[in-house]
């Protein structure tokens, strides 16, 4: 998706196995996206991996409280990211 609002539109059109999102996105940020998925979508249990460079503890707490499945800090390490994605998908099978 091009931005958070586009992600919401895509989620309404079809089912996904996993959502990978940035926290800082135009129109709808990552926290708002997770809140929508958990409360207002037909995929409330889908795992959501949030990638962020956010350092503000209040924002990080809000993301976790919104129901994010996992947080991944930037810069990304490929092996760690791959393992995290595999774990999230396996837990949701």
């Amino acid at each position: 998706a091009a931005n958070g609002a586009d992600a919401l539109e895509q989620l309404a059109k079809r089912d996904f196995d996993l959502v990978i999102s940035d926290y800082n996105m135009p129109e709808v940020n990552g926290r708002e996206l997770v809140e929508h998925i958990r409360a207002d979508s037909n995929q409330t249990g889908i795992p959501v991996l949030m990638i962020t460079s956010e350092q503000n503890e209040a924002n990080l707490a809000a993301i976790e409280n919104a129901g994010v499945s996992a947080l991944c800090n930037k810069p990304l390490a490929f092996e760690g990211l791959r393992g995290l994605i595999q774990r999230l998908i396996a837990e949701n099978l």
Side-chain angles (χ1 to χ4, degrees):
N3 57 50
D6 186 28
L8 292 176
E9 290 177 22
Q10 296 298 321
L11 285 164
K13 292 178 185 176
R14 62 181 212 231
D15 291 341
F16 293 88
D17 295 322
L18 172 69
V19 171
I20 300 175
S21 176
D22 199 337
Y23 173 71
N24 293 305
M25 298 184 293
E27 299 187 43
V28 174
N29 70 33
R31 179 190 49 80
E32 294 166 330
L33 178 64
V34 173
E35 288 173 345
H36 172 81
I37 290 170
R38 297 296 181 239
D40 300 320
S41 78
N42 61 347
Q43 302 177 67
T44 58
I46 188 172
V48 179
L49 169 59
M50 184 76 55
I51 299 172
T52 185
S53 59
E54 182 66 44
Q55 297 297 310
N56 181 296
E57 292 296 324
N59 287 345
L60 292 171
I63 296 167
E64 289 192 17
N65 288 335
V68 72
S69 306
L71 283 168
C72 187
N73 293 322
K74 294 178 185 176
L76 302 174
F78 176 73
E79 287 301 318
L81 180 61
R82 183 172 69 172
L84 185 56
I85 290 170
Q86 290 172 335
R87 180 180 61 83
L88 289 172
I89 291 173
E91 288 174 356
N92 212 33
L93 291 180

